[in-house]
Amino acid sequence: MNERSPVAVLGSLTSPFRPLFGKLSHFLLPAALILSFSLISSDSWARIESTLRLPEDLSTIKFSRINPESHQKRTMQSIIKNLNFSHYRKIEINDDLSERMLTEFIDALDPNRVNFFASDIKRFQSYQHTLDEAVLEGNLDPGYDIFNTHLERIIDRMIFSIHLIENEFDSINFNVEEYWINERKNLPWPETQAESDHLWRQQLKLAALSLRLADTTLTNQKLQSTLSKRYRTKLNLLLQTQNEEVFETITRVISNLYDPHTEYFSPRALDNFNINMSLSLEGIGAVLQNEDDYTKVVRLIPGGPADKSGQLHPLDKIIGVAQGKDGEIVDILGWRIEKVVDLIRGPKDSQITLEIIPAGSQTNKSKTVIITRNQVQLEDQAANSDVLELKREENNYRLGVIDIPTFYSDFQGQRSGNAEYRRASTDVAKLINKLKAKSIDGLILDLRSNGGGSLMEANQLLGLFIETGPTVQIRYANGRVELQKDLDPAVAYDGPLLVMVNRLSASASEILAGAVQDYQRGLVVGNRTFGKGTVQALRPLDRGQLKVTEAKFYRVSGASNQHQGIIPDIEMPDVIDPEDIGESALTNALPWDIIPPTRFPVLSSLQEKLPTLKTDHEKRIATDPDFIYLTERNKLAQEISKIDRISLNQITREKEIRSQKNLELKLENQRRVAKKLEPLKSYSEFEAQQSQIMADNRPDQVISEQDTVLMESGQILVDWIERQKTHVAAQN
């Protein structure tokens, strides 16, 4: 099992010129481990640097086991009671669950099977049928035993690696043809010390080679020094592991057996959660999750520093962090998400350097990006609009485009009684009026990478396009179904409508898109959405709180939004693999199902026109250079994602890097030649072009000429408009 935390996600391939990802936007998912790099200055760095000074002779380090505290027994019993009473999914706590608990706990600690020994796993089997009774009784000893064993093993392995770096570094041979297996989750744990030594030597070689390839000016001495500092810092952190971290790990595994959005928040973690749900975020504006030993980016907050920089993308893996431009990079491979967040936090206007492996990298070559922390204001996430002009034979069409990054609402302004408080629905209504004054022929709502937000705003936004009717059904664990409705008969816009979505559109945006599709009020175009169709609530415990999934969203047609997401009427190419991001990629996600539909009006015969609209779309993109490029880039990205091993031979890796660069340049030049543009002469010229496009794609820029998906969506909307005209003319 990959340790995939349920999180918010964003980003889409909207520009054919970007290496893998284009427009990045917002995703709000009230889920476990939603920890943004946000707010508050912290002394985390100083703590890491100075709290514990390692002895010169690392062999003198003595491992001290961590034991549970008495209050944690009561908290565990309270968690189990709340899960059994409140969770949407009813699970019997028995031997079968005990087996799953043991397997997922081991996999959460050691997903790549490099830390434990096979003998450890054999010993843990004694807990196979007793963990269920233990958690019911609040007995944490088995969980602490497994965690302590893991901690002892990895500390020993870190000491081994540091010894190798500082005393035998010259013995590492980068000319030997050997490979590191990317995912070892189906391979056996090492049986002997020699097998373990070999795996850890390979891991060290991988880290060293990545540094070498990222900076060819590095001398062996500098490389050795850098690795020594990184590994010593990580060992330092391991030796500072706190009791609460062990308890949080155990409770996370247990709660995630119910679903990936259920999680225990300790008092410290709850502070993080409350901070991250506020409207004012200070930091780089990103959300991440653990996957195996990596820290993976899954969301950028719209208008935040990372979003504006264009340097960080979903699926990028962060492997190192440094304070400022010139600080020492700390290797964060294998770190818990909370520790990474502590390290990345910092005050406004301070800089942070991230070492990342870019999404889709075949060779694991890393690069560094520098981002200035700042505050994300509500205005940066506000809806904005523009007009897209398209020519079709003798006719000119003006299409309004409204980009809605999130379903925002100024709750503080609402509570204070401010009648003019800022919210998405009122902003969109104003934008519609401005666009109507420009005599638009149709309207596009861009919900790509919109991760949701206020359910009330989803209701209000749908109400701008229908007279009255239901918007979403909410089913609770006891079977009760609650119906959300739009009761306002006023309609802001009744013309042709198209909604754009992608894999990173989630939650409230799925509710809106699903309702537009069910009502046949407009076309839904793009990619299958995230599939986040569950509702969470915070329940207080004697210590901390439990976020628990209590309900599911259903469309007015009765189909669940959960797991499957919204399937567009017309699909577009997408670089994001549903196996990497989305509800279906999360372990133990609740399933898709259906309930009886509610009564709602069907507003058009749009479904009858879909086959013709699809045919026209497919004919158009078959010869479109930008869409051909997108398709080929997606194929390349998928091929790269399936590579299961990395060469540890420097010459081989350099050849692989050159090969990948040549493929990217070839695809770009094929596109350019087809568009009668001058081909690029080198990959460095290609990279410079990407940087310029990223700089040009400002958050306040709704329409970009490079947004191929938007341009084609406009063409689809024009197809529909023309067919409506033909239908009206035939009737007359």
Side-chain angles (χ1 to χ4, degrees), residues 685-712:
E685 195 176 344
F686 175 62
E687 284 185 310
Q689 177 191 260
Q690 312 313 308
S691 299
Q692 186 59 51
I693 290 171
M694 288 176 183
D696 290 343
N697 283 346
R698 303 182 309 274
D700 60 344
Q701 184 181 21
V702 180
I703 295 177
S704 165
E705 290 182 3
Q706 290 82 38
D707 194 339
T708 304
V709 174
L710 173 59
M711 297 298 174
E712 174 58 21

PDB file of all heavy atoms in Angstrom, residues 685-712:
ATOM      1  N   GLU A 685      16.953  26.446 -25.262  1.00  0.00           N
ATOM      2  CA  GLU A 685      16.028  27.408 -25.855  1.00  0.00           C
ATOM      3  C   GLU A 685      14.589  27.029 -25.505  1.00  0.00           C
ATOM      4  O   GLU A 685      13.752  27.888 -25.227  1.00  0.00           O
ATOM      5  CB  GLU A 685      16.219  27.426 -27.376  1.00  0.00           C
ATOM      6  CG  GLU A 685      15.581  28.621 -28.060  1.00  0.00           C
ATOM      7  CD  GLU A 685      15.880  28.665 -29.552  1.00  0.00           C
ATOM      8  OE1 GLU A 685      16.811  27.948 -29.996  1.00  0.00           O
ATOM      9  OE2 GLU A 685      15.178  29.398 -30.272  1.00  0.00           O
ATOM     10  N   PHE A 686      14.321  25.735 -25.501  1.00  0.00           N
ATOM     11  CA  PHE A 686      12.998  25.223 -25.126  1.00  0.00           C
ATOM     12  C   PHE A 686      12.688  25.574 -23.670  1.00  0.00           C
ATOM     13  O   PHE A 686      11.596  26.051 -23.349  1.00  0.00           O
ATOM     14  CB  PHE A 686      12.979  23.706 -25.333  1.00  0.00           C
ATOM     15  CG  PHE A 686      11.731  23.007 -24.873  1.00  0.00           C
ATOM     16  CD1 PHE A 686      10.502  23.303 -25.443  1.00  0.00           C
ATOM     17  CD2 PHE A 686      11.783  22.044 -23.878  1.00  0.00           C
ATOM     18  CE1 PHE A 686       9.348  22.645 -25.035  1.00  0.00           C
ATOM     19  CE2 PHE A 686      10.638  21.393 -23.463  1.00  0.00           C
ATOM     20  CZ  PHE A 686       9.419  21.690 -24.044  1.00  0.00           C
ATOM     21  N   GLU A 687      13.672  25.371 -22.774  1.00  0.00           N
ATOM     22  CA  GLU A 687      13.479  25.691 -21.360  1.00  0.00           C
ATOM     23  C   GLU A 687      13.231  27.177 -21.152  1.00  0.00           C
ATOM     24  O   GLU A 687      12.386  27.577 -20.342  1.00  0.00           O
ATOM     25  CB  GLU A 687      14.708  25.249 -20.549  1.00  0.00           C
ATOM     26  CG  GLU A 687      14.769  23.758 -20.304  1.00  0.00           C
ATOM     27  CD  GLU A 687      15.917  23.386 -19.397  1.00  0.00           C
ATOM     28  OE1 GLU A 687      17.048  23.834 -19.675  1.00  0.00           O
ATOM     29  OE2 GLU A 687      15.703  22.659 -18.407  1.00  0.00           O
ATOM     30  N   ALA A 688      13.955  28.003 -21.896  1.00  0.00           N
ATOM     31  CA  ALA A 688      13.770  29.453 -21.778  1.00  0.00           C
ATOM     32  C   ALA A 688      12.358  29.837 -22.205  1.00  0.00           C
ATOM     33  O   ALA A 688      11.724  30.709 -21.600  1.00  0.00           O
ATOM     34  CB  ALA A 688      14.805  30.181 -22.630  1.00  0.00           C
ATOM     35  N   GLN A 689      11.848  29.164 -23.224  1.00  0.00           N
ATOM     36  CA  GLN A 689      10.484  29.428 -23.684  1.00  0.00           C
ATOM     37  C   GLN A 689       9.469  29.052 -22.618  1.00  0.00           C
ATOM     38  O   GLN A 689       8.503  29.783 -22.373  1.00  0.00           O
ATOM     39  CB  GLN A 689      10.207  28.624 -24.957  1.00  0.00           C
ATOM     40  CG  GLN A 689       8.791  28.790 -25.470  1.00  0.00           C
ATOM     41  CD  GLN A 689       8.471  27.783 -26.561  1.00  0.00           C
ATOM     42  OE1 GLN A 689       8.503  28.106 -27.724  1.00  0.00           O
ATOM     43  NE2 GLN A 689       8.195  26.552 -26.169  1.00  0.00           N
ATOM     44  N   GLN A 690       9.689  27.909 -21.955  1.00  0.00           N
ATOM     45  CA  GLN A 690       8.771  27.490 -20.894  1.00  0.00           C
ATOM     46  C   GLN A 690       8.731  28.521 -19.773  1.00  0.00           C
ATOM     47  O   GLN A 690       7.668  28.873 -19.264  1.00  0.00           O
ATOM     48  CB  GLN A 690       9.191  26.133 -20.285  1.00  0.00           C
ATOM     49  CG  GLN A 690       9.512  25.032 -21.273  1.00  0.00           C
ATOM     50  CD  GLN A 690       8.483  24.892 -22.354  1.00  0.00           C
ATOM     51  OE1 GLN A 690       7.291  24.771 -22.076  1.00  0.00           O
ATOM     52  NE2 GLN A 690       8.927  24.910 -23.589  1.00  0.00           N
ATOM     53  N   SER A 691       9.912  29.009 -19.398  1.00  0.00           N
ATOM     54  CA  SER A 691       9.990  29.998 -18.319  1.00  0.00           C
ATOM     55  C   SER A 691       9.230  31.265 -18.688  1.00  0.00           C
ATOM     56  O   SER A 691       8.540  31.856 -17.848  1.00  0.00           O
ATOM     57  CB  SER A 691      11.455  30.333 -18.020  1.00  0.00           C
ATOM     58  OG  SER A 691      12.149  29.191 -17.594  1.00  0.00           O
ATOM     59  N   GLN A 692       9.339  31.660 -19.941  1.00  0.00           N
ATOM     60  CA  GLN A 692       8.654  32.866 -20.374  1.00  0.00           C
ATOM     61  C   GLN A 692       7.143  32.679 -20.357  1.00  0.00           C
ATOM     62  O   GLN A 692       6.386  33.557 -19.933  1.00  0.00           O
ATOM     63  CB  GLN A 692       9.111  33.256 -21.786  1.00  0.00           C
ATOM     64  CG  GLN A 692       8.555  34.599 -22.260  1.00  0.00           C
ATOM     65  CD  GLN A 692       8.950  35.746 -21.346  1.00  0.00           C
ATOM     66  OE1 GLN A 692      10.124  35.922 -21.021  1.00  0.00           O
ATOM     67  NE2 GLN A 692       7.972  36.527 -20.897  1.00  0.00           N
ATOM     68  N   ILE A 693       6.686  31.505 -20.800  1.00  0.00           N
ATOM     69  CA  ILE A 693       5.249  31.223 -20.804  1.00  0.00           C
ATOM     70  C   ILE A 693       4.711  31.204 -19.381  1.00  0.00           C
ATOM     71  O   ILE A 693       3.634  31.728 -19.091  1.00  0.00           O
ATOM     72  CB  ILE A 693       4.960  29.887 -21.515  1.00  0.00           C
ATOM     73  CG1 ILE A 693       5.217  30.031 -23.016  1.00  0.00           C
ATOM     74  CG2 ILE A 693       3.525  29.433 -21.279  1.00  0.00           C
ATOM     75  CD1 ILE A 693       5.179  28.738 -23.772  1.00  0.00           C
ATOM     76  N   MET A 694       5.464  30.602 -18.459  1.00  0.00           N
ATOM     77  CA  MET A 694       5.038  30.577 -17.060  1.00  0.00           C
ATOM     78  C   MET A 694       4.941  31.996 -16.504  1.00  0.00           C
ATOM     79  O   MET A 694       4.017  32.326 -15.760  1.00  0.00           O
ATOM     80  CB  MET A 694       6.009  29.746 -16.230  1.00  0.00           C
ATOM     81  CG  MET A 694       5.914  28.257 -16.500  1.00  0.00           C
ATOM     82  SD  MET A 694       7.156  27.330 -15.566  1.00  0.00           S
ATOM     83  CE  MET A 694       6.844  25.660 -16.168  1.00  0.00           C
ATOM     84  N   ALA A 695       5.891  32.840 -16.884  1.00  0.00           N
ATOM     85  CA  ALA A 695       5.865  34.227 -16.409  1.00  0.00           C
ATOM     86  C   ALA A 695       4.684  34.981 -17.009  1.00  0.00           C
ATOM     87  O   ALA A 695       4.084  35.842 -16.369  1.00  0.00           O
ATOM     88  CB  ALA A 695       7.174  34.927 -16.777  1.00  0.00           C
ATOM     89  N   ASP A 696       4.327  34.641 -18.253  1.00  0.00           N
ATOM     90  CA  ASP A 696       3.227  35.329 -18.929  1.00  0.00           C
ATOM     91  C   ASP A 696       1.859  34.890 -18.413  1.00  0.00           C
ATOM     92  O   ASP A 696       0.898  35.658 -18.468  1.00  0.00           O
ATOM     93  CB  ASP A 696       3.284  35.067 -20.438  1.00  0.00           C
ATOM     94  CG  ASP A 696       4.462  35.781 -21.091  1.00  0.00           C
ATOM     95  OD1 ASP A 696       5.012  36.697 -20.459  1.00  0.00           O
ATOM     96  OD2 ASP A 696       4.827  35.407 -22.214  1.00  0.00           O
ATOM     97  N   ASN A 697       1.764  33.643 -17.941  1.00  0.00           N
ATOM     98  CA  ASN A 697       0.468  33.125 -17.473  1.00  0.00           C
ATOM     99  C   ASN A 697       0.196  33.596 -16.054  1.00  0.00           C
ATOM    100  O   ASN A 697       0.285  32.844 -15.095  1.00  0.00           O
ATOM    101  CB  ASN A 697       0.450  31.583 -17.531  1.00  0.00           C
ATOM    102  CG  ASN A 697       0.266  31.090 -18.948  1.00  0.00           C
ATOM    103  OD1 ASN A 697      -0.097  31.852 -19.836  1.00  0.00           O
ATOM    104  ND2 ASN A 697       0.523  29.819 -19.157  1.00  0.00           N
ATOM    105  N   ARG A 698      -0.147  34.865 -15.920  1.00  0.00           N
ATOM    106  CA  ARG A 698      -0.409  35.441 -14.606  1.00  0.00           C
ATOM    107  C   ARG A 698      -1.743  34.947 -14.069  1.00  0.00           C
ATOM    108  O   ARG A 698      -2.656  34.625 -14.833  1.00  0.00           O
ATOM    109  CB  ARG A 698      -0.434  36.965 -14.702  1.00  0.00           C
ATOM    110  CG  ARG A 698       0.829  37.569 -15.277  1.00  0.00           C
ATOM    111  CD  ARG A 698       0.722  39.080 -15.273  1.00  0.00           C
ATOM    112  NE  ARG A 698      -0.503  39.554 -15.885  1.00  0.00           N
ATOM    113  CZ  ARG A 698      -0.652  39.758 -17.187  1.00  0.00           C
ATOM    114  NH1 ARG A 698       0.349  39.501 -18.018  1.00  0.00           N
ATOM    115  NH2 ARG A 698      -1.798  40.206 -17.672  1.00  0.00           N
ATOM    116  N   PRO A 699      -1.910  34.886 -12.721  1.00  0.00           N
ATOM    117  CA  PRO A 699      -3.175  34.438 -12.140  1.00  0.00           C
ATOM    118  C   PRO A 699      -4.363  35.288 -12.568  1.00  0.00           C
ATOM    119  O   PRO A 699      -5.479  34.812 -12.603  1.00  0.00           O
ATOM    120  CB  PRO A 699      -2.923  34.551 -10.630  1.00  0.00           C
ATOM    121  CG  PRO A 699      -1.445  34.463 -10.480  1.00  0.00           C
ATOM    122  CD  PRO A 699      -0.874  35.121 -11.701  1.00  0.00           C
ATOM    123  N   ASP A 700      -4.120  36.590 -12.889  1.00  0.00           N
ATOM    124  CA  ASP A 700      -5.237  37.449 -13.283  1.00  0.00           C
ATOM    125  C   ASP A 700      -5.520  37.381 -14.780  1.00  0.00           C
ATOM    126  O   ASP A 700      -6.368  38.091 -15.301  1.00  0.00           O
ATOM    127  CB  ASP A 700      -4.957  38.904 -12.888  1.00  0.00           C
ATOM    128  CG  ASP A 700      -3.695  39.456 -13.560  1.00  0.00           C
ATOM    129  OD1 ASP A 700      -2.905  38.649 -14.065  1.00  0.00           O
ATOM    130  OD2 ASP A 700      -3.527  40.686 -13.564  1.00  0.00           O
ATOM    131  N   GLN A 701      -4.793  36.512 -15.478  1.00  0.00           N
ATOM    132  CA  GLN A 701      -4.974  36.380 -16.919  1.00  0.00           C
ATOM    133  C   GLN A 701      -5.906  35.206 -17.194  1.00  0.00           C
ATOM    134  O   GLN A 701      -5.525  34.052 -17.080  1.00  0.00           O
ATOM    135  CB  GLN A 701      -3.611  36.155 -17.599  1.00  0.00           C
ATOM    136  CG  GLN A 701      -3.673  36.109 -19.108  1.00  0.00           C
ATOM    137  CD  GLN A 701      -2.300  35.856 -19.700  1.00  0.00           C
ATOM    138  OE1 GLN A 701      -1.417  35.361 -19.027  1.00  0.00           O
ATOM    139  NE2 GLN A 701      -2.125  36.187 -20.961  1.00  0.00           N
ATOM    140  N   VAL A 702      -7.149  35.489 -17.527  1.00  0.00           N
ATOM    141  CA  VAL A 702      -8.147  34.431 -17.699  1.00  0.00           C
ATOM    142  C   VAL A 702      -7.902  33.659 -18.982  1.00  0.00           C
ATOM    143  O   VAL A 702      -7.962  32.448 -19.017  1.00  0.00           O
ATOM    144  CB  VAL A 702      -9.567  35.022 -17.697  1.00  0.00           C
ATOM    145  CG1 VAL A 702     -10.599  33.936 -17.886  1.00  0.00           C
ATOM    146  CG2 VAL A 702      -9.811  35.756 -16.391  1.00  0.00           C
ATOM    147  N   ILE A 703      -7.655  34.374 -20.074  1.00  0.00           N
ATOM    148  CA  ILE A 703      -7.487  33.731 -21.378  1.00  0.00           C
ATOM    149  C   ILE A 703      -6.031  33.837 -21.808  1.00  0.00           C
ATOM    150  O   ILE A 703      -5.454  34.911 -21.856  1.00  0.00           O
ATOM    151  CB  ILE A 703      -8.403  34.375 -22.430  1.00  0.00           C
ATOM    152  CG1 ILE A 703      -9.870  34.136 -22.066  1.00  0.00           C
ATOM    153  CG2 ILE A 703      -8.114  33.805 -23.811  1.00  0.00           C
ATOM    154  CD1 ILE A 703     -10.847  34.789 -23.003  1.00  0.00           C
ATOM    155  N   SER A 704      -5.452  32.714 -22.121  1.00  0.00           N
ATOM    156  CA  SER A 704      -4.102  32.665 -22.653  1.00  0.00           C
ATOM    157  C   SER A 704      -4.158  31.994 -24.019  1.00  0.00           C
ATOM    158  O   SER A 704      -4.868  31.009 -24.208  1.00  0.00           O
ATOM    159  CB  SER A 704      -3.179  31.872 -21.727  1.00  0.00           C
ATOM    160  OG  SER A 704      -1.975  31.529 -22.389  1.00  0.00           O
ATOM    161  N   GLU A 705      -3.414  32.519 -24.971  1.00  0.00           N
ATOM    162  CA  GLU A 705      -3.403  31.921 -26.300  1.00  0.00           C
ATOM    163  C   GLU A 705      -2.864  30.504 -26.262  1.00  0.00           C
ATOM    164  O   GLU A 705      -3.141  29.702 -27.149  1.00  0.00           O
ATOM    165  CB  GLU A 705      -2.555  32.773 -27.248  1.00  0.00           C
ATOM    166  CG  GLU A 705      -3.184  34.121 -27.588  1.00  0.00           C
ATOM    167  CD  GLU A 705      -2.328  34.909 -28.561  1.00  0.00           C
ATOM    168  OE1 GLU A 705      -1.293  34.365 -28.993  1.00  0.00           O
ATOM    169  OE2 GLU A 705      -2.701  36.042 -28.884  1.00  0.00           O
ATOM    170  N   GLN A 706      -2.089  30.187 -25.243  1.00  0.00           N
ATOM    171  CA  GLN A 706      -1.528  28.840 -25.137  1.00  0.00           C
ATOM    172  C   GLN A 706      -2.486  27.845 -24.471  1.00  0.00           C
ATOM    173  O   GLN A 706      -2.164  26.677 -24.333  1.00  0.00           O
ATOM    174  CB  GLN A 706      -0.215  28.872 -24.337  1.00  0.00           C
ATOM    175  CG  GLN A 706       0.946  29.537 -25.060  1.00  0.00           C
ATOM    176  CD  GLN A 706       0.887  31.039 -24.925  1.00  0.00           C
ATOM    177  OE1 GLN A 706       0.519  31.565 -23.878  1.00  0.00           O
ATOM    178  NE2 GLN A 706       1.251  31.747 -25.976  1.00  0.00           N
ATOM    179  N   ASP A 707      -3.656  28.332 -24.032  1.00  0.00           N
ATOM    180  CA  ASP A 707      -4.609  27.460 -23.348  1.00  0.00           C
ATOM    181  C   ASP A 707      -5.426  26.697 -24.387  1.00  0.00           C
ATOM    182  O   ASP A 707      -6.550  27.052 -24.729  1.00  0.00           O
ATOM    183  CB  ASP A 707      -5.514  28.289 -22.436  1.00  0.00           C
ATOM    184  CG  ASP A 707      -6.294  27.425 -21.457  1.00  0.00           C
ATOM    185  OD1 ASP A 707      -6.443  26.211 -21.728  1.00  0.00           O
ATOM    186  OD2 ASP A 707      -6.742  27.946 -20.433  1.00  0.00           O
ATOM    187  N   THR A 708      -4.835  25.637 -24.894  1.00  0.00           N
ATOM    188  CA  THR A 708      -5.431  24.871 -25.983  1.00  0.00           C
ATOM    189  C   THR A 708      -6.784  24.292 -25.605  1.00  0.00           C
ATOM    190  O   THR A 708      -7.715  24.274 -26.416  1.00  0.00           O
ATOM    191  CB  THR A 708      -4.471  23.734 -26.383  1.00  0.00           C
ATOM    192  OG1 THR A 708      -3.208  24.300 -26.725  1.00  0.00           O
ATOM    193  CG2 THR A 708      -5.002  22.940 -27.553  1.00  0.00           C
ATOM    194  N   VAL A 709      -6.899  23.809 -24.376  1.00  0.00           N
ATOM    195  CA  VAL A 709      -8.154  23.193 -23.937  1.00  0.00           C
ATOM    196  C   VAL A 709      -9.268  24.230 -23.889  1.00  0.00           C
ATOM    197  O   VAL A 709     -10.408  23.954 -24.288  1.00  0.00           O
ATOM    198  CB  VAL A 709      -7.961  22.507 -22.575  1.00  0.00           C
ATOM    199  CG1 VAL A 709      -9.289  21.992 -22.043  1.00  0.00           C
ATOM    200  CG2 VAL A 709      -6.965  21.358 -22.689  1.00  0.00           C
ATOM    201  N   LEU A 710      -8.965  25.425 -23.418  1.00  0.00           N
ATOM    202  CA  LEU A 710      -9.970  26.482 -23.397  1.00  0.00           C
ATOM    203  C   LEU A 710     -10.390  26.864 -24.810  1.00  0.00           C
ATOM    204  O   LEU A 710     -11.585  27.044 -25.093  1.00  0.00           O
ATOM    205  CB  LEU A 710      -9.432  27.706 -22.650  1.00  0.00           C
ATOM    206  CG  LEU A 710     -10.313  28.963 -22.683  1.00  0.00           C
ATOM    207  CD1 LEU A 710     -11.687  28.690 -22.092  1.00  0.00           C
ATOM    208  CD2 LEU A 710      -9.640  30.114 -21.957  1.00  0.00           C
ATOM    209  N   MET A 711      -9.423  26.995 -25.704  1.00  0.00           N
ATOM    210  CA  MET A 711      -9.743  27.367 -27.083  1.00  0.00           C
ATOM    211  C   MET A 711     -10.661  26.332 -27.734  1.00  0.00           C
ATOM    212  O   MET A 711     -11.636  26.683 -28.401  1.00  0.00           O
ATOM    213  CB  MET A 711      -8.457  27.521 -27.908  1.00  0.00           C
ATOM    214  CG  MET A 711      -7.542  28.625 -27.419  1.00  0.00           C
ATOM    215  SD  MET A 711      -8.322  30.261 -27.500  1.00  0.00           S
ATOM    216  CE  MET A 711      -7.072  31.263 -26.706  1.00  0.00           C
ATOM    217  N   GLU A 712     -10.371  25.065 -27.522  1.00  0.00           N
ATOM    218  CA  GLU A 712     -11.216  24.018 -28.107  1.00  0.00           C
ATOM    219  C   GLU A 712     -12.577  23.978 -27.427  1.00  0.00           C
ATOM    220  O   GLU A 712     -13.600  23.722 -28.086  1.00  0.00           O
ATOM    221  CB  GLU A 712     -10.519  22.663 -28.004  1.00  0.00           C
ATOM    222  CG  GLU A 712     -11.366  21.476 -28.458  1.00  0.00           C
ATOM    223  CD  GLU A 712     -11.875  21.573 -29.898  1.00  0.00           C
ATOM    224  OE1 GLU A 712     -11.288  22.334 -30.702  1.00  0.00           O
ATOM    225  OE2 GLU A 712     -12.869  20.885 -30.211  1.00  0.00           O
TER     226      GLU A 712
END
